Amino acid sequence: QVQLVESGGGLVQAGGSLRLSCAASGLTFNLYNVGWFRQPPGNEREFVAASRWTSGITYYADSLKGRFTISRDNAKNTVYLQMNSLKLEDTAIYYCAALLGIGRSSVPRSDYEWNYWGKGTLVTVSE
């Protein structure tokens, strides 16, 4: 059974940093694309960042480039999201997702294309 468990969310002041972690189990982690999505209050879930299973390529929402960094540790079956210079509008529930990478030439940004999801971790950015 595949499980994705996020951690590291919390309350942070604007301008601060947080690092989210997502521990995966029940899958061959290094064969999976892994990504982060978020759902701000009252809004739909949106793509944040993704890491391709091979080649080390990473993808970001254009609005977040330069502030957020995704990384993965295949030995620990864990993906991270480093978030810097946080803004009020970064307040959201952050979800980790996984999608088998073999046979795919690209990483989708639509949430409905991803197979596995964590339950999410809340990030609240205050003034």
Side-chain angles (χ1 to χ4, degrees):
Q1 181 180 358
V2 175
Q3 282 194 315
L4 303 175
V5 180
E6 302 95 338
S7 61
L11 177 65
V12 62
Q13 284 191 320
S17 298
L18 275 179
R19 188 175 84 152
L20 305 183
S21 300
C22 173
S25 60
L27 52 74
T28 306
F29 187 75
N30 62 348
L31 298 182
Y32 278 74
N33 299 319
V34 286
W36 290 94
F37 289 76
R38 69 184 184 182
Q39 186 167 17
N43 288 292
E44 295 183 349
R45 191 159 54 186
E46 61 187 22
F47 173 79
V48 172
S51 171
R52 192 153 182 243
W53 71 285
T54 188
S55 73
I57 294 176
T58 56
Y59 307 83
Y60 295 92
D62 289 343
S63 62
L64 300 177
K65 281 181 184 176
R67 292 197 299 123
F68 287 18
T69 303
I70 187 171
S71 60
R72 62 192 294 166
D73 185 336
N74 288 340
K76 295 183 178 180
N77 286 7
T78 300
V79 58
Y80 304 97
L81 183 68
Q82 178 68 43
M83 306 185 294
N84 298 328
S85 302
L86 284 162
K87 303 177 181 180
L88 297 179
E89 53 263 40
D90 294 320
T91 293
I93 300 174
Y94 283 74
Y95 297 91
C96 174
L99 173 67
L100 185 63
I102 294 177
R104 289 183 173 269
S105 59
S106 63
V107 175
R109 298 181 180 228
S110 301
D111 61 354
Y112 64 86
E113 297 193 61
W114 292 73
N115 297 128
Y116 303 108
W117 292 88
K119 293 183 178 180
T121 186
L122 177 63
V123 172
T124 303
V125 183
S126 65
E127 293 181 353

